[in-house]
Structure formats: C-alpha cells, structure tokens
Amino acid sequence: MRQRAIRNLANLVTETATPTRVLDAAAGGKNNFLVDRDALRRYDSAAAVTATAAREVHGFLTRVVRHLSDELIDQLLVIGSGVPSGLPAGRQLHDVARTHPLTAGTRVVYAESDPMILANARATIEPISDLVRVVEGDVREIDALLADRVVTTFIDWDRPVGILVVSGHSILDDEEFRYVFKRLGLAAASGSHLAVLQATLDGIPTELLPTVYDLIAMTMPGYATRARDRLAAVLDGLDLLDPGLVWVSQWRPEEPGGSAIPPESSGNYGAVALVR
C-alpha cells in the first residue's frame, strides 16, 4: 500500500492542468490544484462553458447509469473521471446505480489514472462500501486494464456489464479509440452496454476557435477533441441505442423539453451501444 502511494505521488502532475481535475474544479470539488483552477478560469473567460459542461456531463452519466439500473445491469466499470469530489452524498454514480430495488447490490469498479483523483476515491469511497473498488487504470492501456486482478474478479464477465468510457479525450489516435471499443465488446457478455463521452469543439463559435486551440495546447497538451462525424466514424458498427450519437444534454433528458441551455454548451457528445 505504501509503495503504491509513493508511486502515485511520483506520477502526480502539478505543472499542467489535467481534464479530470479541471472538471472536478468546475463541479466545485477539491481534487484540483491552482493550475487546474487557472485553466478553468481561462476557458470560462474565452467561452464561459466549462462549469455548464461539467453539470451536463454528470447529468448524462447519471441518466446512463439510471438506464443501466432500469435494465437490471448490476455491475459497472467506469473508465475515467467518474468520481468528482464536488458531488453531494447520494449523487455519485455508484449511488445512482442502486436506485432500482433490484440493483441495490450493484458492484462498481472505477478505473482512474490521475493520482490525485485515484487517491481521494480510494480514501473516501472504498472504505465505506464493499460494493465499490477503485483501480489504477488507463483507457490507453485497455488490455492491461481488463487484465487487472480486481477488474477480472470483482466483475462477472459472463453476465452483462455497463462500461462507461469517460476518458476518450486522452486518446489522440482514432484507430486506437476503435480498438478500445472492439476490445471491450469482445470482453463483455451479450446484453452489456458501452457508453462513450467525448469532448468536442463543434459548439465553439468560429471566431473563438483559435483562442481555445491555444488554451488547450498551453494548459492541457494531448487533450483530444473530436467533431461529430469523426466520432461517428470511431463508433461505426456499434449498435447505438436511441437517440444515437447526440449532445450529452440530448441523451434521454429527464424533462420533455430537455435542458434549458443550448445543447452545444455541454461541449460533449454521448452515446450508448448495446453488445449483442
């Protein structure tokens, strides 16, 4: 345990912002540094959408998990930042997963690569629930993640599982991203669901794009955004549930009219696919 903690601290990046910590800051969390809050301030000064995006992203993930619960899927693998520290008690994804009477025993594995988010989740979630595990894992190393001892034993891969790929922004190459979904589809049993979240600049006004591109290069180098047609090509061949690939605020909104904000203000696309 001590060696793992030392390794995590050694991998901690404090000189530049990270997407997980910026979203945590936007959600009002404490798992972030000054550099992350400064990046948040700069983005909001340019386009004033980051806090809105954080709310809409969590709303999308919540609705996806609620759908999985309604489908009686009682085990989840969340790859990426699924545990922002600013959420009040009862609103974390593992709480939402147990809202259906028949999914009260849902097991959840969070896979996270950011050392700060990882350490906080292990300290605040694992000790209070035998139904949650937090593992060190990266979507860019999907084979290693699926071979992780906790992932292979805590989840029963012979039964349907809900898999949320939250950290697609860390994969620059589209072929690598396609491989992730191919690998997950092969690993998961029939009836499983694969959800994807992807940041995009499609909703940014043209005149602001140069500023935003410069901000990304300066504050979060390696942060991948994708236009809708590019993401659709990555997901080609997957059996997407209605309404398909849409802005996250448009994926099965709880209110008939959807969110009051423009859909593009969410800054992210989302989709859920069924594994046949």
Side-chain angles (χ1 to χ4, degrees):
M1 179 72 72
R2 184 172 181 271
Q3 289 179 337
R4 185 173 68 181
I6 292 173
R7 184 178 70 247
N8 287 341
L9 287 175
N11 292 333
L12 188 61
V13 176
T14 60
E15 297 82 8
T16 58
T18 69
T20 52
R21 297 198 310 253
V22 170
L23 279 177
D24 183 81
K30 298 179 180 179
N31 289 335
N32 52 79
F33 296 112
L34 178 61
V35 66
D36 305 297
R37 296 188 292 276
D38 184 58
L40 174 63
R41 179 185 59 77
R42 293 186 184 197
Y43 283 111
D44 277 346
S45 294
V49 297
T50 313
T52 297
R55 289 192 299 270
E56 295 298 330
V57 162
H58 182 256
F60 165 70
L61 296 176
T62 296
R63 294 192 302 278
V64 169
V65 171
R66 191 171 291 126
H67 164 76
L68 296 175
S69 179
D70 290 341
E71 292 294 309
L72 303 186
I73 292 178
D74 60 359
Q75 44 184 4
L76 303 179
L77 172 61
V78 184
I79 308 174
S81 183
V83 284
S85 63
L87 296 176
R91 290 189 57 197
Q92 295 283 6
L93 296 183
H94 55 272
D95 299 314
V96 176
R98 300 183 189 125
T99 53
H100 194 288
L102 297 180
T103 60
T106 294
R107 293 187 170 206
V108 179
V109 175
Y110 291 108
E112 180 56 65
S113 60
D114 186 286
M116 189 174 191
I117 305 294
L118 184 67
N120 181 75
R122 281 175 168 158
T124 60
I125 297 176
E126 278 192 343
I128 63 173
S129 176
D130 290 335
L131 298 174
V132 177
R133 295 291 184 273
V134 182
V135 302
E136 186 175 0
D138 195 318
V139 69
R140 293 169 295 185
E141 299 174 356
I142 193 63
D143 291 319
L145 174 58
L146 290 176
D148 180 271
R149 181 184 60 81
V150 173
V151 173
T152 58
T153 58
F154 197 67
I155 292 175
D156 180 358
W157 290 93
D158 291 327
R159 297 194 301 108
V161 56
I163 305 175
L164 282 63
V165 180
V166 184
S167 51
H169 55 73
S170 64
I171 303 178
L172 294 172
D173 182 74
D174 288 353
E175 285 301 319
E176 183 182 356
F177 208 9
R178 288 190 189 94
Y179 176 76
V180 167
F181 288 103
K182 179 180 179 180
R183 184 70 178 84
L184 291 171
L186 290 173
S190 176
S192 296
H193 289 60
L194 305 178
V196 60
L197 173 74
Q198 174 62 61
T200 183
L201 300 182
D202 281 357
I204 301 295
T206 303
E207 65 273 16
L208 294 179
L209 281 175
T211 300
V212 174
Y213 280 127
D214 288 345
L215 275 174
I216 291 175
M218 180 171 53
T219 60
M220 294 189 294
Y223 184 76
T225 61
R226 287 178 172 85
R228 189 186 185 282
D229 57 352
R230 184 179 165 195
L231 180 58
V234 169
L235 303 178
D236 185 46
L238 295 180
D239 184 7
L240 299 186
L241 302 181
D242 289 336
L245 175 60
V246 293
W247 294 104
V248 292
S249 60
Q250 296 176 323
W251 197 89
R252 304 193 178 186
E254 295 174 345
E255 299 297 329
S259 175
I261 68 166
E264 63 271 16
S265 295
S266 67
N268 285 266
Y269 288 120
V272 180
L274 176 65
V275 177
R276 297 291 186 181

